[in-house]
Amino acid sequence: MTDLCIDLDDVRAAARRIDGVAHRTPVLTSTSVDRILGAKVFFKCENLQKVGAFKFRGAMNTVAQLTDDELARGVATHSSGNPAAALALAAAERGARARIVMPTTAPAVKKAAVEGYGAEITFCEPSLEARETTLASIVANDGCVEVHPFDEPRVIAGQGTAAMELLDQTDALEAVLTPVGGGGLLSGSAIVVTESAGDAKVWGCEPAGADDAFRSLELGAIQPSIDPDTIADGLLTSLGEHTFAIIRDRVVGIVTVSEAAIVDAMRLVWERMKIVIEPSAAVPVAVLLERRNAIDASRIGVVLSGGNVDLARLPWSRK
């Protein structure tokens, strides 16, 4: 295995650091869902995490390590939703200012959440270049500490704590599935599972309309996410150098699924388990619905990454 930016000890340290601040989310099961998916599936409910997503783990682990001088300067990031809310709340927990760059196309429910946590939003055009340029200007002018939304070792270690809890709450998992956008959750999970769960395999799950991580793994180099087309708005970002290195080293593969399967998976969880998940969180469930043969396992852990969805715009209501 190659040298990577974090190891299991970093995730353990993150778990201690965020203990009592982040929620230890439940793992739920459903007999009817197991029957439909053809496996015993354990759902790690990060939709019930603070800010409604696993992102709070990485943001809190990062902000918890800032010096007093850095906290006084405040933090800044760019994000279309969950990382923004996570950093806003983590900063508020430590009394720091948060500046967030968001594209104008970000979901209204996620814009409202960021504002609700007290962050200052600067809107920009919906492109990675616009986001990065706007953020760079804010950092240069205000002296804020930039926190990368996913390709930052402290963030990756924090995200890995979800998988660490999942393994502690279950027995003998054969596979762990997470969605993949920028790769923070998948890479953090891969570190934990491959270093502490025996022969269990880690799979990334991605929309076919935003398959840059799949292409990156296939081609052995980071492929940009260009004009992604998916309702899974949390999975639009390309992999980073740190996350790609871990995924290439520790992840068995990435499975892509159709938009129809994502919608069906989201609705299945809603109807059978009575919990709300966002489209990005539904992608691993969609893999088990549409591409079940790709996952050779009968005891499967799935990280439900978030639950921030606009209930006035449910995808099946637009059919």
Side-chain angles (χ1 to χ4, degrees):
M1 292 186 178
T2 58
D3 291 335
L4 302 173
C5 67
I6 69 163
D7 59 20
L8 185 59
D9 285 340
D10 293 309
V11 182
R12 288 172 174 153
R16 292 191 294 270
R17 210 171 278 122
I18 68 175
D19 182 39
V21 184
H23 294 319
R24 181 180 173 89
T25 55
V27 171
L28 301 183
T29 60
S30 167
T31 301
S32 63
V33 172
D34 287 350
R35 184 171 59 252
I36 293 167
L37 300 182
K40 183 66 177 177
V41 185
F42 301 85
F43 295 95
K44 178 63 171 169
C45 293
E46 287 298 290
N47 56 313
L48 303 179
Q49 184 55 260
K50 288 184 178 180
V51 310
F54 74 95
K55 294 285 188 178
F56 181 68
R57 295 174 179 272
M60 194 65 240
N61 184 50
T62 302
V63 173
Q65 296 179 72
L66 297 181
T67 65
D68 289 342
D69 175 68
E70 290 172 323
L71 288 171
R73 289 157 51 195
V75 294
T77 195
H78 67 79
S79 164
S80 61
N82 290 337
L87 186 62
L89 180 56
E93 291 277 357
R94 296 208 63 194
R97 179 189 186 196
R99 298 285 306 276
I100 309 295
V101 175
M102 299 188 78
T104 54
T105 54
V109 65
K110 295 185 178 181
K111 294 176 186 176
V114 173
E115 292 176 336
Y117 293 126
E120 181 180 340
I121 300 176
T122 300
F123 292 106
C124 68
E125 292 301 308
S127 71
L128 180 59
E129 180 182 5
R131 286 161 59 152
E132 291 180 340
T133 300
T134 306
L135 177 61
S137 177
I138 289 173
V139 170
N141 292 332
D142 288 5
C144 300
V145 176
E146 180 178 348
V147 178
H148 197 282
F150 56 86
D151 201 40
E152 146 71 54
R154 293 170 295 188
V155 170
I156 296 169
Q159 317 305 30
T161 62
M164 181 172 286
E165 290 178 11
L166 171 64
L167 296 183
D168 185 54
Q169 292 165 301
T170 58
D171 294 310
L173 292 182
E174 298 168 7
V176 173
L177 278 59
T178 86
V180 56
L185 176 62
L186 178 58
S187 57
S189 299
I191 289 292
V192 170
V193 175
T194 58
E195 294 190 18
S196 60
D199 296 329
K201 309 298 184 193
V202 181
W203 294 85
C205 305
E206 190 173 43
D211 68 345
D212 57 284
F214 171 80
R215 291 184 285 110
S216 297
L217 206 57
E218 288 287 300
L219 297 173
I222 297 174
Q223 303 300 303
S225 178
I226 300 174
D227 296 326
D229 183 15
T230 178
I231 61 169
D233 61 274
L235 307 181
L236 304 180
T237 312
S238 305
L239 297 175
E241 302 232 356
H242 291 310
T243 58
F244 176 63
I246 296 172
I247 290 168
R248 181 176 54 187
D249 194 66
R250 303 293 180 92
V251 172
V252 174
I254 294 174
V255 185
T256 62
V257 290
S258 69
E259 294 297 289
I262 296 171
V263 174
D264 289 344
M266 187 178 172
R267 186 165 187 166
L268 173 69
V269 171
W270 177 306
E271 292 180 342
R272 300 302 178 101
M273 299 181 67
K274 315 307 178 190
I275 56 175
V276 178
I277 61 172
E278 60 190 81
S280 299
V283 173
V285 187
V287 165
L288 297 178
L289 272 176
E290 186 176 64
R291 303 283 308 279
R292 178 66 184 88
N293 291 339
I295 310 298
D296 183 19
S298 59
R299 291 178 60 84
I300 301 171
V302 169
V303 181
L304 297 177
S305 56
N308 293 311
V309 60
D310 186 346
L311 297 182
R313 301 182 70 250
L314 294 172
W316 51 84
S317 68
R318 287 177 274 167
K319 290 185 177 180

